[in-house]
Amino acid sequence: MKTLVRFSTGMTGLDEIIDFLRIGDNVVWQVADIKDYKYVVDFFVKRALEDHRKVIYIRFADHSPLLSPQDNVTTYFLDAQNGFESFSTQAYHIITQEGEQVFYVFDCLSDLLLSWANDLMIGNFFMIMCPYLFELNTIAYFSIIRNRHSFKTVARIRETTQVFIDIYHYNQKFHVHPLKVWQRYSSVMFLPSIKDGDRFIPITSSVETVRLFSDMAAANLKLSKRHLDYWDRLFLKVEDLLTSPGEAEEIQKMIDLICRIMISREPGMLELARTLFTLEDLLAIKNRLIGSGFIGGKTAGMLVARKILLTDPDMNFQHFLEPHDSFYVGADVFYSYLVQNGWWKLRMQQKTDKGYFKAGAILKKQMKDGEFPNEIKDQFWRILEYFGQSPIIVRSSSLLEDSFGNAFAGKYESLFCVNQRNPEQRYADFEDCVRRIYASTMNEDALTYRLERGLEKSDEQMALLVQRVSGTHRQDYFFPDAAGVGISYNPFAWKKDMEPEAGMLRLVLGLGTRAVNRVEGDYPRLVALDEPLRRPLAGMDDMRKFCQREVDVLNLKENAFQTLSLFKLMSDTPELQMAYMGIRDYETDRAIKKLGIKDQKAWIINFDGLLSQTPFAHVMRRMLKKLEAVYNYPVDTEFTLNFTSDGKFKLNLLQCRPFQGLGSVQEMKFPEHIPTADILLEMNGNFLGGSISRNIKQIIMVDPTGYVDLSMNQKYDIARLIGRLNRQIKDKDQCPVMLLGPGRWGTTTPSLGVPVSFSDINHMTVLGEIAYADGNLMPELSFGTHFFQDLVETRIFYIAIFPENKDVRFNSPQLSSLPNMLENKVPSQSHYGSIVKVYDVDALNLKFTADLISQHVMCYYDHS
């Protein structure tokens, strides 16, 4: 309970009307002109300074300053153009720093519309600031311009504040009309009053009151769109421009404005959007938008890429592309979710160094159980009613995602809604997906990623892309014929005569989840688009060993995402287009028959029919090069493929983002005569990245033979130990470290590798996966996956080492003569010294060199 202490507004008559100000009051003035707000501010500040109060002026608007520079008034300048979160964070930190018993004057909130373009975020800002200022026992002045905001925004502000007062000029007289005065009451407090000298005289006559408000209402009739949000009024102007086209310059200005507030703030994507999109395009996007604000990086990339292809004069991509059918949840809904569930203070704690991970974990947990405003729920229902029982996918599309330089690949959730139950259950599933994706912004890997890339203080809102799943009903299942990843530059040209510029694909049967994620014991088809039928591995045995064995589908009967064996899928859905998807495996057929299994045919998924009998490879190559040309940058895409009833195929372009490369394409030179004893590793191909040369200071190696014999818990111990060693690397440029281990790093199955998270290995310079046949530990060349993007963006060079291959020289026993530094690094884990070896090779001048052109890799001691 606040102590009852009265403070003056500086206007004696007004003090009498509202029974003075109280500690904690936020006072909102609704005015027709900023001069009226300045008028009451001058009285307030003059009196505050006379009472020796600390006065803070928060300056952010384009209107004339409310206060001139003067002693005992501190002015802070904020830039609203940096976005809602940055602006709100700055203001929050100022208020925190200034502490209690401070008097504040804020510029007019209505000016924030120029930067944020919607009322919702102004209401959110006030809902953050008002309770916090109340908590700190301050008194603060705010203002809004009458008829500039929607009824709903004004109602939210009035509901949140302690004092809300209208100011009118009528018949050249100054009127005030208190609409809310918290915890105070008198018989005339809420009547309009006329200023008369120092007094305010309540209008008690019904005749005078009716005359005043009738004239005000008549003036407001000209503003019939007042109840609309500024955002909606802006798009009404777009409709007007389309109905009665204006000058080309006027249209382009509107396109630029809409792109800046809805498409992107990232310069590269913004330039593409403003060049490609028409007003019709932007209005079509808005008509599929839930809430307001940015559509996010993933959505922007998809829409821009489709526009590039559909307007290409040289090729009829429309013939090959499915129409897209998506909705977008605006990024402002994310902030409203945080604000209205009362989590902004926790959000501010998470933005500090101390609370970055700790408060993030708490926020993540709470965000899974929040409530959405009713108007957002109504619009969510609109999405579900539109899609009916068609499966949908809710995908993350944050502001920073899929931009030039930051992919955020796999950092945030994307979730399927199989959408097969009754409407109420389907709605509950959808809302749960939205919450989980919002909560994923606080995932440890996502926070680590932002921290490493200097984005921990950046405005990171989560928009959403809601797409109809591309595919076909097949018995109880739903999935596309094929899906995959397409990259316009092939970082894995495994033969010298291949053209990296031709691009590559990572192709799977069924849902594309197996193409973008590292999956256990399964291998997608890698396709070099200059030679589509050429494989990295040769022979039937290799083809059988390194192929897809399981398929991801949506089970309509179970209303769930499911992974099926290819055998199971083939028996349940015999209508698959297998002539395009694979070849018969007669050897396995014979083995099946010997087991007494009837009517079961074995296939090897290799897509040779698709690649040789259709124009698919040609279309994908043209598509990727077209996108690369307009982006002026290599691109990374996700797509699905479905066959129509006449045997033709249709592509659905789901995602497009700038592709991040590693290293260079220049030729690297190797010494001509290196003694065998000086070569630690030599191999051809099986690496990820371009040409690099690094001096290695330290090697961490997990011994494959010892690792295989560990228990499950001990294997997780090893993963945590690697994480501790990783965190000891303070500067990877000053101390390049090579990490070697059996099978797959980051696997979820410890029997297949070391189950680290990416934040456990993110400081490494070279990451090596060692094949160990005795333990069934096998690397996976994950080009095009989220794992691949992580390695590229954190500048980690990847190698897959197959010691049994005849062209691989791996002299690991050579390292055993060096002392193991594990006990010095992590004394409490020294009992794992036989498994985890830490070698200091700084004095040995160990050089790691890879040449993209020759596909040659060497790690050797350089005595030159």
Side-chain angles (χ1 to χ4, degrees), residues 136-179:
L136 292 175
N137 296 321
T138 70
I139 295 179
Y141 268 32
F142 297 88
S143 72
I144 57 174
I145 302 295
R146 184 179 299 108
N147 299 322
R148 190 79 57 92
H149 303 277
S150 68
F151 286 138
K152 182 181 176 184
T153 296
V154 175
R156 288 176 71 200
I157 291 173
R158 184 166 56 192
E159 181 182 350
T160 308
T161 194
Q162 285 74 41
V163 180
F164 191 98
I165 302 176
D166 257 336
I167 296 178
Y168 298 102
H169 275 286
Y170 179 65
N171 287 341
Q172 299 182 335
K173 291 185 178 181
F174 187 86
H175 294 66
V176 296
H177 183 199
L179 301 179

Side-chain angles (χ1 to χ4, degrees), residues 519-525 535 537-550 583 585 587-588 603-606 744 771-780 802 804-805:
V519 291
E520 315 300 356
D522 231 16
Y523 298 88
R525 172 67 192 274
R535 299 182 185 85
L537 302 160
M540 181 61 76
D541 286 343
D542 277 347
M543 191 186 303
R544 186 181 293 113
K545 185 175 183 180
F546 298 103
C547 71
Q548 183 180 356
R549 296 177 177 82
E550 295 184 314
I583 59 172
D585 183 357
E587 183 176 330
T588 301
W603 290 80
I604 296 173
I605 303 299
N606 63 5
R744 303 180 184 186
Y772 182 57
D774 290 348
N776 195 31
L777 295 161
M778 194 64 60
E780 205 248 298
F802 298 88
E804 295 182 359
N805 287 8

Side-chain angles (χ1 to χ4, degrees), residues 310 315-322 648-651:
L310 293 175
M315 186 167 181
N316 183 18
F317 282 109
Q318 190 158 358
H319 177 73
F320 297 103
L321 287 175
E322 288 182 29
K648 306 295 184 183
F649 67 84
K650 289 285 187 180
L651 296 168

Side-chain angles (χ1 to χ4, degrees), residues 11 19 67 74 93 97 155 158 184 252 263 342 402 409 474 505 750 764 841:
M11 305 172 75
D19 193 15
L67 298 172
T74 303
H93 287 164
Q97 172 187 310
R158 184 166 56 192
R184 278 151 278 180
Q252 188 59 52
I263 304 301
D402 287 3
R474 296 175 171 91
L505 307 177
M764 301 301 166
V841 294

